Amino acid sequence: MIGLEGALIGFALLLFLLFVGLHIAVALFTVSVLGAWWYFGDAMLNPFGTFMWGTLNNFLLVAIPLFVFMGEILVRGGITERMYRALSDWLKPLPGGLLHTNIFASTIFAAISGSSVATAATIGTVAFPTFRAQNYSERWISGTIASGATLGILIPPSINLIIYGAITNTSIGALFTAGILPGLVLAAMFVAIVAVSATIKPEIAGPRGKLAPWHERRKRLVDLLPPLIIFIIIMGSIYGGWATPTEAAGVGVLAALLLVGFHHELNLRMLRDAMLATISTTAMTLLILVAAAYLNFILGVLGVPKLVSGAVADISASPLVVLLIIVCLYLLLGCFLDALAMMITTIPIIWPIIDHLGYSSVWFGIFLVMMCELALITPPVGMNLYIVQSVRGRGHVGTVIAGVIPFLACILVLVALISVFPGLVLN
């Protein structure tokens, strides 16, 4: 058994390695190996190969490359750009004009790609030329893209929820169901913030411009059907009991290929580029997952979860006070870790506390993903901030940071609501 001091030293070492820029998987593996060697010697290191195979030999994990591949096909096949143009036709009359398009497009694309980084890069590439031509505030352009993209890890199908479910043995279908309502509520809150701000300060949005003729707008509505069809196919097959999440992902890839082929964008070069991007993303994700699983194994053998839950049991504070402390911890970690690193490194430490407080693993999955959403847009290392800044291609990242502040507040409000009323997630 490890003492509390040893556990804190190990966690501090992990944070230090991540802070100095070591790759997430390398940092996790380093701390795991040092802990295993220090307390058990070489014997605990010998079965790592078998342990790695056992971790990856999971049919559920096949869903990760399939969902990534599906998103790459839709982006490179022009489906996303057509969807964005169709949305802009109908959202121009709202206060804030085209700023709402970023949020709506992010919500829809998040629901089919499962990736926040992919959403931020895709929507940003399409949006910035349009907005600059109409003199919108770059702060609000950047803020709506970076914040709207965070919906990619909450609205199903979410790669982060799949990873969480694989680590904690929680039903992926239950997690996907639980993520729909908070995701839609958060998108509505983002829209409300933009509408209210644009009403108070109309200068943040450019001129609303002339609307396209009614028949043209109605004709372009057909471009909203492909993402809707894919979402219905994926979620319908899962909830209808016709397919597992992995099988549904395979069906989603087939549907994406058919849709891109229908638009005459399917070719060998596009498929090659999509496959290479999928391989890169999947390899990085699974390497992190293996290293995290080994760390969780070592922590379990050392008795860290039992130690943490015992320490919490000795604290005479209400569940909401303990939860507030956990939120503050995640806010602090979000300033230094990206979403996936924060999620994987904290599950073995925080879950025993949450379990002791009486919350379900499904609720904690949504709570954790929402805290990871904050990490994606929290300076100084929020991943979406730099993705948007790189797509923006000019100015300082401080403009993007200033743009996300109102949306950070929205996420915190929703976290507070699901903490006080867990039924918002579980019902």
Side-chain angles (χ1 to χ4, degrees), residues 72-409:
E72 291 289 338
I73 291 170
L74 294 173
V75 171
R76 299 174 189 277
I79 300 295
T80 306
E81 184 172 355
R82 292 187 184 90
M83 173 194 72
Y84 190 91
R85 304 298 182 197
L87 284 171
S88 66
D89 284 342
W90 295 90
L91 297 174
K92 284 180 182 178
L94 298 177
L98 292 176
L99 292 174
H100 296 290
T101 310
N102 291 339
I103 297 170
F104 276 85
S106 296
T107 302
I108 296 173
F109 188 71
I112 55 176
S113 73
S115 169
S116 289
V117 173
T119 302
T122 302
I123 302 302
T125 301
V126 176
F128 271 109
T130 302
F131 280 91
R132 283 173 178 162
Q134 300 189 35
N135 296 318
Y136 275 71
S137 163
E138 293 228 356
R139 170 185 166 185
W140 280 90
I141 303 170
S142 306
T144 50
I145 295 172
S147 304
T150 61
L151 298 166
I153 61 173
L154 180 58
I155 295 176
S158 163
I159 293 173
N160 288 58
L161 286 177
I162 293 173
I163 293 174
Y164 171 84
I167 294 175
T168 61
N169 292 319
T170 304
S171 166
I172 303 300
L175 288 168
F176 280 2
T177 302
I180 293 175
L181 181 59
L184 294 178
V185 169
L186 191 57
M189 293 172 72
F190 287 175
V191 168
I193 281 287
V194 170
V196 171
S197 300
T199 301
I200 297 173
K201 297 180 66 176
E203 62 270 20
I204 70 172
R208 297 188 183 181
K210 184 180 179 181
L211 292 177
W214 170 258
H215 70 278
E216 289 186 14
R217 286 185 287 156
R218 187 175 57 186
K219 182 179 178 180
R220 281 198 287 261
L221 277 176
V222 72
D223 291 328
L224 298 179
L225 289 179
L228 180 62
I229 290 170
I230 291 178
F231 181 77
I232 291 173
I233 289 174
I234 292 173
M235 304 310 294
S237 61
I238 293 174
Y239 297 138
W242 305 325
T244 65
T246 302
E247 293 165 345
V251 174
V253 169
L254 179 60
L257 288 170
L258 292 174
L259 289 168
V260 172
F262 177 78
H263 287 285
H264 307 290
E265 298 288 348
L266 186 61
N267 55 68
L268 290 177
R269 181 176 180 180
M270 186 274 285
L271 285 176
R272 183 200 63 185
D273 292 343
M275 288 178 181
L276 289 175
T278 300
I279 291 170
S280 176
T281 302
T282 303
M284 177 190 69
T285 303
L286 294 184
L287 182 62
I288 293 171
L289 184 60
V290 168
Y294 188 59
L295 176 61
N296 292 349
F297 169 68
I298 298 300
L299 291 176
V301 173
L302 290 173
V304 173
K306 184 177 180 181
L307 181 70
V308 171
S309 58
V312 173
D314 294 335
I315 299 176
S316 56
S318 68
L320 285 179
V321 172
V322 176
L323 205 58
L324 180 60
I325 295 172
I326 293 173
V327 169
C328 292
L329 172 65
Y330 276 118
L331 288 175
L332 178 63
L333 293 177
C335 294
F336 305 103
L337 302 179
D338 67 29
L340 188 58
M342 189 171 76
M343 184 182 81
I344 289 178
T345 56
T346 57
I347 285 175
I349 306 298
I350 302 298
W351 168 240
I353 301 175
I354 297 294
D355 187 44
H356 176 76
L357 296 177
Y359 291 99
S360 75
S361 62
V362 173
W363 179 89
F364 178 55
I366 302 305
F367 170 85
L368 180 57
V369 164
M370 291 187 66
M371 297 311 301
C372 291
E373 282 189 306
L374 281 170
L376 285 168
I377 54 175
T378 303
V381 295
M383 184 68 72
N384 282 11
L385 301 177
Y386 295 96
I387 292 293
V388 171
Q389 176 61 22
S390 65
V391 174
R392 181 178 170 227
R394 70 185 188 191
H396 191 268
V397 71
T399 301
V400 186
I401 293 173
V404 302
I405 290 175
F407 305 99
L408 280 170

Side-chain angles (χ1 to χ4, degrees), residues 1-14 31 34-35 38-39 299 302 304 307 349:
M1 282 286 291
I2 191 174
L4 184 60
E5 297 81 4
L8 291 174
I9 290 172
F11 189 61
L13 175 61
L14 176 60
V31 174
L34 288 176
W38 182 265
Y39 287 96
L299 291 176
L302 290 173
V304 173
L307 181 70
I349 306 298

Side-chain angles (χ1 to χ4, degrees), residues 28-78:
L28 291 170
F29 187 67
T30 300
V31 174
S32 305
V33 169
L34 288 176
W37 176 79
W38 182 265
Y39 287 96
F40 303 107
D42 296 340
M44 191 62 74
L45 303 178
N46 294 333
F48 175 73
T50 304
F51 181 86
M52 179 176 67
W53 171 254
T55 301
L56 294 178
N57 188 23
N58 186 344
F59 183 64
L60 178 64
L61 297 180
V62 179
I64 295 175
L66 288 175
F67 279 128
V68 173
F69 187 44
M70 182 183 69
E72 291 289 338
I73 291 170
L74 294 173
V75 171
R76 299 174 189 277

